[in-house]
Amino acid sequence: MANDVDFDAAEAGYNYKKLIWLFLGVFLFVITYYSPPWPDAIDPTGKAFALSTAGKGAIAVFLLAGTWWVFEVVPIGVTSLAIGVLQALFLIRPAKVAFKDFMDPSVMFIFGSIVIGLVFTKTGLTRRLAYKMLAIVGEKTSMIYLGCFVVTAALTHIMAHTAVAATIYPLLVAIYALYGEGDKPTKFGKGLFIGMAYVAGAGSIVTLLGAARGAVAIGFFKDVMNKDVGFFELTYYMLPIGWMMTFLLWGFFMIFCKPEKKTIPGLKDRAKRLYAELGGITRKEVTAASIVGLCILALAASAIMKAYIPGFVPPHKTALILLSTILFFITGILDINDLEAIPWNIILLFAGAMSIGFCLWDTGAAEWMAINWLVMFQNANWFVFVMGIAFFVLIMTNFIMNVAAIAISLPVALVIAPYLNVAGEVILFASLITAGMPFLLLVGAAPNAIAYDSKQFTTGEFFLYGIPASILLMIVTGFAIFVLWPMMGMPILLK
């Protein structure tokens, strides 16, 4: 009886804490939405940007969603539903517009990527790859970390980091199953899954194939600066940063999530035995691997041809990846029951993220915030200015899609840059670094949310690990701006 009372008290305490954060989010929404008009944002040319009532409402929804996501007062997908509901109820945007964003092509791309991961698990390809990898890297948990991180980062050079995370995730589940702790959260589990999410971002900055943000940023750069940045030029400057962050993150997790076990005795032999027990590669494995391989080739070829063939219009990446989903069902690899295995909580998370991102953009709130932030640095030292831009992108990309973070900040920054004698290239590449690595919130990038499905960490834990990781990222960005890129020949100052 006493145990029952203790249990009820603990539950009551837990719900009480959740209620505090729930009402904090509501409080932030109310005081922001009903506050008097806010001052205009003034850009360096003297042009004023007013914040409309709808824009203020967008910021109000943004604050509520951020609070609820960090403290997980309701399931993260339910917070996303609240984003659409609040827009419609408070007339911030029409319901048809607000909820249409929930089925944005980017959300469907994430759906298609997750289906690929599901196929790898169902066909047995995941276990085959996991056992082969463990047989190579051995029994040291530090080497298992490193092996997983290197494979993840390398794959993001040739395919979208969302698809990589969805593919690698079931492989990590198979590896963790051999750790011997069941489904219980451990430091090794936290490091394995959070680390995968982080290095997926680090690797994705290296080429234009890793994420859409690179192509979008280069497009804005060309429009404002009338200069082209080539496929291999981007890789030249970003390769050392991406891999530096990959290895630094390995060290980071060896410190903050040091595995409870230095080794897993007998793991190498066990992995070899389990691999042998799988037998020969089945027809379904070959079919699945072929479909995924062709999808990756099509995505890569489309991106490269777009970069080098003027006027070439590639097929949309979402259509290509969803074609693979359709083929999985046509070939019988998946059936209708497999749809129940889709983590719809994660899909809804990104649906809501797209809606709030477009809401901030459509209402002018995003532009108002960007101008207010960036003009604070218009008379600063050039290094402080560039780091200020990078930091703004880092914060924004944790709350809204990184493409939107780039879209709202880069044009403004490139206009301010000449006043401080700063070259546009350093702003472009610094922004791309921080846009690629949102370490604070799950909504910042699809790999973050995919890793969360492991149940090895809470949203609050992810946020706390993300603080020192983001500081590390800013240090590396500063090193690149001040030391590395000038040595590599990047123009930093105009004179």
Side-chain angles (χ1 to χ4, degrees):
M1 188 68 164
N3 289 338
D4 291 341
V5 173
D6 291 343
F7 178 80
D8 291 340
E11 281 291 298
Y14 181 67
N15 292 333
Y16 180 70
K17 288 179 182 178
K18 277 194 171 185
L19 282 174
I20 291 174
W21 301 121
L22 186 148
F23 284 115
L24 174 62
V26 173
F27 174 74
L28 291 173
F29 174 86
V30 170
I31 63 168
T32 302
Y33 185 81
Y34 291 105
S35 62
W38 293 6
D40 295 352
I42 311 295
D43 74 6
T45 65
K47 184 179 179 181
F49 292 82
L51 182 65
S52 65
T53 301
K56 194 149 57 71
I59 294 174
V61 175
F62 175 72
L63 293 172
L64 179 143
T67 304
W68 284 15
W69 271 328
V70 170
F71 298 103
E72 206 173 353
V73 297
V74 291
I76 53 179
V78 176
T79 296
S80 291
L81 291 177
I83 288 171
V85 169
L86 289 170
Q87 289 179 62
L89 289 181
F90 287 85
L91 306 179
I92 297 168
R93 286 198 305 168
K96 185 176 181 180
V97 177
F99 287 108
K100 185 176 69 175
D101 295 338
F102 277 61
M103 292 298 286
D104 184 83
S106 295
V107 178
M108 298 308 295
F109 184 86
I110 292 169
F111 170 82
S113 300
I114 288 174
V115 170
I116 289 177
L118 178 65
V119 165
F120 269 61
T121 300
K122 185 175 181 179
T123 59
L125 278 169
T126 291
R127 284 177 294 156
R128 194 176 294 278
L129 292 170
Y131 300 153
K132 178 62 73 174
M133 178 179 167
L134 290 172
I136 294 171
V137 301
E139 300 174 350
K140 288 186 177 180
T141 48
S142 60
M143 290 299 102
I144 294 173
Y145 267 173
L146 182 60
C148 293
F149 293 174
V150 167
V151 169
T152 300
L155 284 175
T156 59
H157 296 353
I158 59 171
M159 59 191 288
H161 71 331
T162 300
V164 171
T167 304
I168 290 291
Y169 171 78
L171 184 146
L172 300 187
V173 171
I175 289 173
Y176 188 71
L178 300 175
Y179 190 60
E181 297 295 332
D183 295 329
K184 185 180 74 174
T186 63
K187 286 187 177 180
F188 179 66
K190 295 180 198 303
L192 198 63
F193 289 97
I194 299 176
M196 177 277 289
Y198 284 7
V199 298
S204 73
I205 70 171
V206 174
T207 73
L208 287 175
L209 306 179
R213 78 184 86 88
V216 171
I218 287 173
F220 278 115
F221 183 77
K222 184 177 180 179
D223 290 342
V224 178
M225 306 299 292
N226 199 27
K227 292 181 183 178
D228 277 320
V229 173
F231 184 95
F232 294 106
E233 182 182 355
L234 178 134
T235 299
Y236 172 70
Y237 288 120
M238 300 300 258
L239 181 69
I241 307 303
W243 281 101
M244 186 186 304
M245 279 302 300
T246 297
F247 289 110
L248 285 173
L249 286 169
W250 173 51
F252 174 89
F253 285 105
M254 283 303 299
I255 295 171
F256 287 90
C257 291
K258 187 175 182 179
E260 294 85 352
K261 306 172 186 177
K262 288 186 177 181
T263 62
I264 309 175
L267 178 64
K268 191 168 185 176
D269 290 336
R270 188 181 176 192
K272 288 179 179 178
R273 185 176 69 256
L274 289 169
Y275 185 86
E277 289 174 1
L278 291 174
I281 296 178
T282 65
R283 181 189 65 81
K284 284 192 174 182
E285 286 179 278
V286 172
T287 304
S290 299
I291 292 172
V292 174
L294 288 172
C295 180
I296 293 169
L297 284 174
L299 289 168
S302 297
I304 294 172
M305 290 170 71
K306 183 181 179 182
Y308 288 99
I309 301 177
F312 174 74
V313 180
H316 199 282
K317 64 175 185 174
T318 300
L320 288 174
I321 204 162
L322 288 180
L323 178 59
S324 71
T325 300
I326 295 168
L327 290 173
F328 292 141
F329 283 91
I330 290 175
T331 55
I333 295 172
L334 296 178
D335 56 47
I336 192 168
N337 295 320
D338 293 309
L339 290 175
E340 296 178 6
I342 300 293
W344 294 106
N345 191 39
I346 304 303
I347 303 297
L348 278 174
L349 168 67
F350 277 93
M354 295 301 294
S355 186
I356 187 60
F358 282 121
C359 183
L360 289 166
W361 177 263
D362 291 345
T363 60
E367 188 175 39
W368 182 88
M369 288 190 291
I371 292 170
N372 269 319
W373 173 262
L374 295 177
V375 295
M376 290 194 298
F377 300 97
Q378 62 182 326
N379 297 317
N381 173 270
W382 71 267
F383 179 74
V384 174
F385 171 66
V386 178
M387 289 295 287
I389 294 166
F391 182 73
F392 178 80
V393 173
L394 171 66
I395 297 302
M396 290 302 295
T397 201
N398 272 284
F399 283 92
I400 62 175
M401 51 189 175
N402 48 39
V403 171
I406 287 287
I408 64 177
S409 58
L410 195 59
V412 178
L414 290 174
V415 169
I416 297 174
Y419 293 93
L420 295 177
N421 197 35
V422 176
E425 286 83 350
V426 69
I427 293 172
L428 169 68
F429 288 106
S431 299
L432 282 175
I433 289 178
T434 52
M437 289 177 262
F439 295 155
L440 296 170
L441 296 180
L442 300 183
V443 75
N448 298 359
I450 290 169
Y452 173 77
D453 203 42
S454 68
K455 298 180 175 58
Q456 285 293 315
F457 57 90
T458 65
T459 55
E461 286 176 323
F462 189 88
F463 180 80
L464 291 175
Y465 284 119
I467 294 173
S470 296
I471 293 171
L472 175 65
L473 174 61
M474 289 302 296
I475 292 171
V476 169
T477 303
F479 169 74
I481 293 168
F482 204 74
V483 179
L484 183 62
W485 286 340
M487 290 173 57
M488 296 175 71
M490 180 188 291
I492 304 296
L493 299 175
L494 296 175
K495 297 176 185 178

